[in-house]
């Protein structure tokens, strides 16, 4: 009996093994069916007769998010996007270089507080945008880059313009995704738009393979053999291709929500705000440094300006915050920032970080109490372990924080002698500028004098775009934006070549404004061809070129330090004639017209009002205005 009982389990092993093997086979088949999308196709149908295409889904999402402009350089990979956007009333603006398209989208993002959008073709089209995308990342601009790509089946198989685009853009973007089916376009773009604006804003990238953008019948023609193969392997391959095609278009035209998703914007806690209120309430010599983050939504610029005026604390303005208080406001201190920071007993760094612009924090006094507020915690604490230490580090939206400070400090006043001391230092510096403007130069025009006359000529609605080194560095001291969101510079990356793209985006956003672009002659080389773009799209802007025939910001240091001007020399090129060749208007300012500078600027304004883009080539000499300024 014991022997039979012991043998019974062994006798049942074979049926158990068969059951296990059968279950494993079923699971493998189900898994394979899932991977092949067979279950998905049972739920989501494929409309083989539809002539719709994925570009229409892209355009629908953009329109639902309020996108008005799409910047591009055309390519076959992305043609469906461009055609669909045109049909939905989104203005498609094609540039002569892909980098310009992204710079233009960046300008739209900065000036509107929404996402700027550019679409470029695969491979070299995308690699051409890398500088602009990196610039947007460092400047914290919400830009959506749409990139074409080889078809999903041909990636990594040597297709035309096919590279690993995702690996290229992951380090540059907050969000990267490659769409694998037409039905995924809408949710992927919605997530990308939300990511671009949430937290610390920045660029995002969505890759759109060519087979998710074109209609079913075109993709079918390219993907599936016209004649059914007769051999077994050919039939297997043909079935696989048909199944892949079905997965691409399954559920493609089912209704999906296209509108914006909720944004995640960090806010300072009430406890943090209260601690900062207490620190500022005890200050005798408070100072504010406002950076670009202060102008981000949701706080409107007018409300932020009112808050700063109510606080009554002297402030320095940088980046997109320049112009916040208008042209001449008693609270706006423009010169001697380092000296003022050393004297302040409480410093509020609002949306600015301790990078090279603040000498990595070394300009801050060890005796000052530092409050810093920023959406990005890592950037907020940059170099705090070396040269400075915050009393309060607040991760949150800058504009909202400043408004809350006002509520906590309402009625608080500070002694007027502190503001008067800073204003007096400003007046002394500006007197030095006036004296330098009268100094003779060896040849051509004194750039300090020219820029003072530009300052006197600018209308109240002007938007200033700056692109260059020495000439633009001089302009930053002399030319004042007339209001908030009226100054566009590259930001901390120091990128040359932003001018044409920024001017393009700015004029489209603010068609009633005069857009003045201040170029160095070196930087203008990047933007010259885009005057063809301005002419074709009827975008009237004014470009002023400070033409000193060289990369002067570099040669200022290179020559005395290393004894050579190698690679720093240019020519007094006739840029105004080149502009005429592209269909724009060109004017020349030289010493022969030294007493006609204002008249020539007025002429440029009139031609701009008549609808013409204008280049004013200003031949300038060398001064010592920026001696000692750093270029590295």
């Amino acid at each position: 009996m014991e022997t039979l009982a012991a043998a019974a389990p062994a006798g049942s092993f074979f049926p158990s093994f068969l059951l296990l093997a059968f279950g494993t086979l079923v699971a493998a088949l189900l898994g394979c069916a899932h991977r092949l999308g067979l279950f998905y196709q049972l739920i989501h149908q494929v409309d083989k007769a539809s002539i719709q295409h994925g570009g229409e889904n892209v355009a629908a999402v953009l329109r639902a998010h309020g996108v008005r402009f799409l910047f591009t350089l055309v390519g076959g990979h992305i043609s469906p996007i461009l055609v669909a956007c045109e049909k939905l009333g989104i203005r498609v603006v094609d540039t002569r270089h892909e980098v310009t398209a992204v710079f233009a989208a960046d300008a739209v993002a900065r000036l509107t507080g929404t996402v700027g959008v550019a679409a470029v073709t695969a491979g070299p089209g995308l690699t051409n945008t890398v500088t602009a995308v990196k610039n947007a990342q460092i400047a914290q601009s919400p830009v959506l880059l749409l990139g074409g790509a080889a078809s999903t089946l041909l990636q990594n198989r040597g297709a035309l313009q096919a590279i690993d685009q995702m690996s290229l853009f992951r380090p540059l973007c907050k969000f990267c995704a490659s769409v694998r089916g037409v039905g995924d376009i809408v949710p992927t773009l919605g997530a990308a738009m939300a990511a671009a604006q949430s937290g610390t804003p920045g660029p995002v990238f969505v890759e759109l393979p060519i087979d998710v953008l074109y209609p079913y019948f075109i993709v079918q023609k390219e993907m599936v053999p016209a004649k059914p193969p007769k051999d077994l392997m050919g039939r297997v391959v043909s079935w696989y291709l048909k199944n892949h095609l079905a997965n691409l278009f399954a559920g493609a035209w089912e209704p999906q929500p296209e509108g914006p998703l909720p944004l995640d914007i960090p806010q300072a806690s009430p406890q943090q705000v209260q601690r900062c209120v207490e620190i500022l309430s005890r200050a005798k010599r408070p100072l504010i440094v406002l950076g670009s983050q202060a102008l981000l939504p949701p706080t409107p610029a007018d409300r932020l300006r009112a808050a700063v005026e109510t606080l009554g604390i002297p402030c320095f303005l940088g980046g997109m915050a320049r112009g916040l208080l208008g042209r001449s406001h008693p609270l706006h201190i423009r010169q001697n920032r380092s000296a003022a920071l050393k004297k302040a007993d409480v410093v509020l760094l609002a949306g600015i970080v301790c990078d090279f612009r603040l000498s990595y924090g070394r300009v801050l006094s060890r005796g000052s109490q530092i409050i810093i507020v920023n959406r990005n915690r890592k950037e907020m604490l940059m170099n705090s372990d070396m040269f400075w230490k915050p009393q309060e580090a607040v991760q949150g939206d800058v504009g909202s924080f400043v408004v809350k400070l006002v509520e906590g400090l309402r009625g608080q006043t500070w002694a007027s002698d502190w503001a008067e001391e800073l204003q007096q230092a400003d007046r002394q510096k500006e007197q030095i500028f006036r004296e330098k403007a009268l100094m003779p130069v060896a040849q051509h025009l004194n750039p300090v004098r020219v820029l003072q006359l530009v300052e006197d000529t600018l209308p109240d609605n002007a938007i200033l775009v700056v692109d260059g080194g020495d000439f633009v560095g001089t302009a930053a001291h002399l030319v004042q934006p007339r209001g908030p969101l009226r100054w566009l510079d590259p930001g901390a990356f120091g990128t040359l070549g932003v001018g044409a793209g920024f001017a393009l985006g700015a004029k489209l956003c603010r068609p009633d404004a005069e857009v003045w672009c201040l170029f160095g002659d070196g930087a203008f080389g990047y933007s010259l061809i885009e005057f063809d773009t301005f002419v074709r799209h009827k975008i009237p802007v004014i470009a002023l070129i400070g033409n000193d025939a060289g990369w002067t910001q570099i040669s200022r240091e290179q020559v005395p330090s290393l004894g050579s001007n190698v690679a720093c020399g240019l020519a007094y090129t006739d840029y105004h004639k080149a502009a005429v060749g592209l269909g724009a208007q060109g004017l020349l300012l030289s010493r022969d017209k030294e007493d006609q500078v204002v008249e020539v600027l007025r002429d440029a304004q009139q031609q701009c009002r008549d609808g013409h883009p204008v280049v004013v080539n200003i031949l300038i000499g060398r001064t010592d205005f920026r001696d000692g300024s750093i270029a590295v």
Side-chain angles (χ1 to χ4, degrees):
M1 293 292 295
E2 292 179 1
T3 303
L4 291 174
S12 64
F13 172 77
F14 190 67
S16 299
F17 173 76
L18 287 177
L19 184 62
L20 178 62
F22 179 75
T24 302
L25 178 61
V26 170
L29 291 173
L30 291 174
C32 185
H34 174 72
R35 288 178 61 85
L36 290 170
L38 301 180
F39 297 135
Y40 187 81
Q41 293 173 39
L42 291 175
I43 303 171
H44 303 280
Q45 298 301 308
V46 177
D47 186 353
K48 298 180 180 181
S50 175
I51 60 172
Q52 289 181 265
H53 56 79
E56 295 173 352
N57 288 14
V58 174
V61 174
L62 298 184
R63 182 177 64 174
H65 283 76
V67 173
R68 296 165 53 206
F69 310 107
L70 177 70
F71 301 98
T72 191
L73 197 158
V74 70
H77 290 85
I78 58 168
S79 290
I81 298 174
L82 311 184
V83 172
C85 284
E86 181 187 42
K87 287 182 179 179
L88 290 187
I90 297 171
R91 184 169 177 179
V92 177
V93 183
D94 61 302
T95 62
R96 296 298 299 271
H97 195 291
E98 289 91 350
V99 77
T100 304
V102 179
F103 283 138
D106 187 338
V108 169
R110 298 189 196 196
L111 294 179
T112 65
T114 59
V115 178
V117 185
V120 301
T121 199
L126 276 162
T127 58
N128 278 345
T129 70
V130 166
T131 297
V133 174
K134 184 64 183 181
N135 193 78
Q137 181 190 45
I138 293 180
Q140 300 176 351
S141 293
V143 171
L144 169 61
L145 176 62
L146 303 174
S151 67
T152 52
L153 278 179
L154 292 181
Q155 291 180 9
N156 302 315
R157 295 181 180 274
L160 174 67
Q161 298 181 330
I163 59 171
D164 184 359
Q165 297 171 165
M166 299 298 289
S167 294
L168 184 65
F169 284 95
R170 281 193 187 100
L172 307 178
C173 295
K174 294 182 62 183
F175 175 100
C176 284
S178 181
V179 174
R180 312 315 288 176
V182 181
D184 296 329
I185 291 175
V186 171
T188 302
L189 289 179
M193 298 284 270
Q197 299 171 88
S198 293
T200 305
V204 294
F205 171 60
V206 176
E207 180 183 77
L208 294 155
I210 193 170
D211 49 357
V212 304
L213 290 178
Y214 278 82
Y216 181 92
F217 70 93
I218 292 180
V219 179
Q220 181 187 38
K221 181 180 178 182
E222 294 296 323
M223 183 180 295
V224 181
K227 294 182 179 180
K230 297 180 179 180
D231 61 296
L232 178 61
M233 182 56 68
R235 291 177 181 178
V236 170
V237 171
S238 179
W239 178 88
Y240 178 82
L241 294 175
K242 290 178 181 179
N243 183 69
H244 184 80
L245 178 64
N247 283 326
L248 283 175
F249 285 88
W253 320 123
E254 294 174 1
Q256 298 184 71
E258 299 163 348
L261 299 173
L263 304 182
D264 179 15
I265 298 176
Q267 297 291 337
S269 70
Q271 295 80 10
Q272 288 176 309
V273 173
Q274 183 57 37
R275 288 196 297 269
C276 296
V277 166
E278 292 171 1
I279 293 171
L280 280 166
S281 67
R282 296 190 294 268
K284 302 297 182 184
R285 299 184 306 281
L287 195 64
I288 300 177
V289 184
L290 278 169
S292 295
Q293 269 197 21
L295 272 295
L296 291 174
T299 305
D302 290 344
R303 190 178 182 195
L304 179 64
R305 171 177 178 158
V308 172
E309 289 177 326
T310 302
L311 278 175
I313 298 175
C315 61
F316 288 90
L317 305 174
M320 293 302 297
R322 288 176 65 107
L324 176 68
L325 298 177
R327 185 179 181 186
S328 299
H329 195 286
L331 290 176
H332 181 201
I333 311 302
R334 303 184 66 241
Q335 316 294 344
N336 305 296
R337 185 172 69 177
S338 295
L341 287 168
K342 289 292 186 185
K343 294 179 180 179
D345 60 353
V346 175
V347 177
L348 170 58
L349 301 177
I352 195 165
V353 298
C354 291
D355 57 12
F356 71 94
R357 292 167 292 183
L358 290 180
S359 190
Y360 311 99
R362 286 178 291 198
V363 296
L364 301 173
S365 171
R366 293 284 184 180
S368 301
Q369 290 184 292
I370 310 299
I371 301 169
I372 186 165
V373 56
N374 198 286
R375 292 194 186 189
N376 188 306
R377 182 166 182 80
K378 181 180 178 181
E379 288 194 1
M380 177 171 62
L381 298 177
M382 188 183 297
N383 299 310
S384 62
D385 55 342
M386 296 178 64
F387 302 118
W388 69 288
K389 187 175 180 62
Q391 184 76 15
E392 284 290 336
V394 181
Q395 184 178 5
D397 176 62
V398 176
S400 304
F401 174 83
V402 173
V403 171
K404 292 172 184 175
L405 275 186
V406 172
E407 296 168 359
L409 286 165
R410 192 169 297 279
Q412 176 82 29
T413 58
W414 288 268
S416 60
D417 57 346
W418 168 234
E420 176 57 34
E421 178 184 344
L422 299 175
Q423 292 162 8
Q424 179 60 27
D426 258 17
R427 289 190 288 269
Q428 292 172 355
K429 196 69 170 284
E430 287 162 3
Q431 177 58 33
I432 294 173
F433 295 163
R434 285 190 287 271
E435 293 170 2
K436 288 187 178 294
L438 299 175
M439 294 175 61
V441 293
Q443 60 177 337
H444 303 306
L445 299 173
N446 184 326
V448 180
R449 178 58 180 158
V450 169
L451 287 167
Q452 285 183 336
L453 295 174
V454 170
E455 165 65 17
D456 294 339
T457 306
L458 285 174
D460 289 340
N461 72 345
I463 294 178
L464 290 162
V465 174
V466 295
D467 184 9
D470 203 67
F471 185 66
V472 165
T474 302
H477 289 281
L478 302 171
V479 181
Q480 301 181 50
R482 280 22 184 178
L485 300 176
R486 292 188 175 276
W487 173 278
L488 287 167
D489 63 30
F493 201 31
T495 309
L496 291 182
V498 302
F502 279 9
L504 177 61
K507 186 62 178 179
L508 287 169
C509 289
R510 309 273 180 83
D512 296 331
E514 278 189 14
V515 175
W516 291 60
C517 197
L518 307 183
F519 285 102
D521 55 330
F524 188 65
Y526 294 91
S527 289
L528 172 60
I529 191 61
E530 298 300 349
F531 275 79
D532 169 78
T533 303
F534 295 139
V535 170
R536 286 185 296 107
H537 290 280
K538 297 179 173 54
I539 308 291
V541 300
I542 300 172
L544 306 183
I545 305 170
N547 187 352
D548 57 6
W551 300 95
T552 304
Q553 180 158 304
I554 307 303
S555 64
R556 279 188 188 279
E557 298 175 38
Q558 182 173 304
V559 173
S561 300
L562 301 172
S564 172
N565 195 49
V566 62
C568 294
L570 296 172
Y572 283 106
T573 300
D574 289 335
Y575 296 111
H576 57 295
K577 293 183 180 179
V580 171
L582 292 170
Q585 300 296 308
L587 303 172
L588 176 66
L589 259 178
S590 62
R591 181 165 284 183
D592 293 341
K593 297 183 178 180
E594 189 167 8
D595 58 347
Q596 301 175 36
V597 172
V598 173
E599 287 82 350
V600 172
L601 295 177
R602 297 290 188 201
D603 185 11
Q605 286 181 293
Q606 183 57 54
Q607 297 208 42
C608 189
R609 284 192 288 268
D610 291 341
H612 305 292
V614 185
V615 170
V616 184
N617 189 16
I618 308 173
L619 305 185
I620 59 174
R622 307 288 178 94
T623 73
D624 64 354
F625 185 86
R626 300 191 68 240
D627 281 359
S629 62
I630 62 169
V632 293

